[in-house]
Amino acid sequence: MPGHHALREAIWAATASTEARLLLTLVALVVLGIVGSAVRSLGPRLKAHVDDAVAESIQAGIVTVWSAMTAMFLIAVWRAGWLLEQGLSQIDPSRQQVAAIVLSVAVLVAAYGLTRLTKSSIRRLSKERGAISDHQQEVAHHLVQLFVFAMAVLVVLGIWNVEPGQLLLGAGAAGVVIGLAARQTLGAVLAGFVVLFSRPFDLGDWVVIGDEEGIVTDITVFNTRIRTFDDEYVMIPNDIVTDTEIRNRSRKGRLRIETDVGVDYDTDVEHAMETAAKAMAETETPMERPGPNVVLAEFGGSSVVLRLRYYIDNPSARKMWKARTEVIAAVKEAFAEEGIKIPFPQRELSGRAEAGSVAVSGVSVSDVTDDDTEETDGTDDDRIEREDAADDADAEADG
């Protein structure tokens, strides 16, 4: 390859000094950074003409090729080719082995690119025809992904002249070792397929999984990702998902919300229920059908508790809080207009004479008369005089 040798000799001639090598190294790294930034900024334009997966593949390919060219240039600048030659001499691969390695890498890269293309194709067909849901898209993508990679592995085995049947000889022992070493990962994968096929939730559903609550953003064979209402992304392994109670708040397209309010025991309960129901009916966010209703919940410590029940459609956290705010504000205003009291917590205190004539401040309970009890409601001066009299009586008794 005369051209290759001529280019190498030209680079060597231009980098005779260490300062020139450092300068060219710096220039090469700066150019690599500029190319990377340019390729990243080119992404939106590419995605406007081609699918997102294709655009990302093109970007990754450009950056990879340019990085390889930069590495080869730096090897030539620093005259480090002998390191590669020495390494290859130690390995001493044959031409057939080098070709097999290149073909194997090419097959695996092609399989990865094909899965990206099939995913974008499935998504595009779903948008055009509306035949399958987002959840079904994920299931189809993972099935195609497994099929493509299985075929790629078989092709790679054929390149290396390995019979698939030979792998079965050590499959038993290898299965035991792999099962013990990666039982949690394999359990998550199996649970992932259970989640994908059982469909307890779809992408975009509002779910509660254990202590986490949010919107499902992605479902893979390994984990489920949700975005909480605090804009935090939580990744939950699928084996935990299948072992945990799941509540899907948006599956039926509507959600019932309950809000409790207490009214005074002297209030006309029927009138309070009618007033609350009328106030809820005049709000905007809760659904008209089924309409809001009011039921008696319990006897509270200070009030009779009314339970306000109402529905929202297309449930979301934003709509839930909006509906709850509207209902509370409307019911409070309606109760104020009708003079219906929402009581504060109250306690009724009472006392009684304990058995055994327990002494209090030197006076036994058995000696306390009704008049004394009434006097306890007097001023602090009266209380002090009574305590002084009791102290004098005790002093005389001790004398």
Side-chain angles (χ1 to χ4, degrees):
M1 299 177 63
H4 170 72
H5 292 291
L7 179 60
R8 184 181 63 181
E9 294 295 334
I11 294 175
W12 285 0
T15 58
S17 63
T18 303
E19 292 80 4
R21 296 175 188 174
L22 292 174
L23 179 60
L24 283 180
T25 300
L26 180 61
V27 171
L29 295 178
V30 170
V31 172
L32 178 62
I34 294 173
V35 171
S37 300
V39 171
R40 180 178 298 178
S41 62
L42 188 64
R45 297 182 181 179
L46 285 174
K47 293 178 181 179
H49 296 84
V50 298
D51 190 80
D52 292 353
V54 178
E56 292 173 0
S57 299
I58 293 174
Q59 289 177 285
I62 294 175
V63 172
T64 301
V65 171
W66 195 268
S67 299
M69 293 174 59
T70 302
M72 294 174 62
F73 175 76
L74 293 178
I75 289 173
V77 167
W78 291 95
R79 296 166 174 78
W82 63 273
L83 291 175
L84 295 178
E85 294 177 358
Q86 185 177 2
L88 291 176
S89 64
Q90 294 292 331
I91 301 174
D92 193 20
S94 63
R95 292 184 178 181
Q96 291 80 4
Q97 291 175 335
V98 173
I101 292 173
V102 173
L103 287 176
S104 299
V105 173
V107 168
L108 294 177
V109 172
Y112 174 77
L114 182 60
T115 57
R116 298 297 297 268
L117 290 176
T118 55
K119 182 177 182 178
S120 61
S121 300
I122 292 172
R123 185 178 302 173
R124 184 173 61 254
L125 290 174
S126 176
K127 290 181 178 179
E128 292 177 355
R129 301 181 181 181
I132 59 177
S133 65
D134 292 339
H135 186 93
Q136 292 170 336
Q137 290 179 33
E138 290 294 324
V139 175
H141 165 64
H142 290 301
L143 290 178
V144 172
Q145 193 177 38
L146 287 175
F147 176 77
V148 170
F149 276 109
M151 294 297 102
V153 169
L154 291 177
V155 172
V156 170
L157 292 177
I159 292 174
W160 290 92
N161 296 322
V162 177
E163 291 292 337
Q166 297 177 1
L167 299 178
L168 298 178
L169 298 176
V176 173
V177 173
I178 294 175
L180 292 175
R183 59 185 182 277
Q184 187 171 0
T185 302
L186 293 176
V189 171
L190 295 176
F193 282 101
V194 172
V195 171
L196 288 172
F197 286 102
S198 63
R199 297 186 60 187
F201 44 76
D202 291 332
L203 295 179
D205 281 359
W206 173 9
V207 298
V208 180
I209 304 176
D211 296 331
E212 304 296 340
E213 180 176 4
I215 306 300
V216 179
T217 59
D218 192 16
I219 306 171
T220 68
V221 294
F222 295 102
N223 51 63
T224 296
R225 302 174 187 174
I226 66 174
R227 177 175 56 84
T228 68
F229 300 124
D230 294 328
D231 279 338
E232 297 177 341
Y233 283 86
V234 181
M235 184 182 299
I236 307 174
N238 285 327
D239 54 343
I240 296 179
V241 174
T242 54
D243 291 339
T244 307
E245 177 182 345
I246 302 173
R247 285 185 290 166
N248 193 326
R249 295 185 180 271
S250 56
R251 173 56 64 89
K252 295 188 65 176
R254 70 183 188 187
L255 177 67
R256 191 180 76 180
I257 305 173
E258 296 182 350
T259 303
D260 292 345
V261 60
V263 297
D264 193 84
Y265 274 98
D266 294 333
T267 301
D268 184 351
V269 176
E270 294 292 336
H271 176 59
M273 294 173 64
E274 294 175 0
T275 302
K278 183 178 179 181
M280 288 193 296
E282 295 175 355
T283 56
E284 297 181 359
T285 305
M287 297 174 61
E288 295 181 359
R289 294 184 180 179
N293 63 83
V294 183
V295 297
L296 293 175
E298 61 179 348
F299 291 106
S302 306
S303 62
V304 178
V305 180
L306 308 183
R307 181 154 295 164
L308 315 178
R309 305 193 300 181
Y310 46 97
Y311 288 84
I312 57 173
D313 58 351
N314 299 322
S316 66
R318 189 187 196 95
K319 184 174 287 188
M320 179 189 70
W321 288 115
K322 183 179 180 181
R324 183 168 290 174
T325 300
E326 291 179 3
V327 167
I328 292 176
V331 171
K332 183 178 182 300
E333 182 179 357
F335 279 7
E337 292 177 355
E338 295 294 326
I340 299 174
K341 181 180 179 182
I342 302 177
F344 295 100
Q346 302 175 23
R347 284 187 176 88
E348 183 176 318
L349 302 179
S350 61
R352 62 182 180 179
E354 298 293 340
S357 299
V358 179
V360 180
S361 299
V363 181
S364 64
V365 175
S366 60
D367 295 335
V368 178
T369 63
D370 293 339
D371 293 337
D372 294 331
T373 304
E374 293 177 358
E375 288 178 0
T376 58
D377 296 331
T379 62
D380 291 341
D381 293 338
D382 295 336
R383 179 178 57 79
I384 294 173
E385 291 177 359
R386 289 195 301 271
E387 291 178 354
D388 292 341
D391 292 339
D392 293 341
D394 291 340
E396 293 177 358
D398 294 338

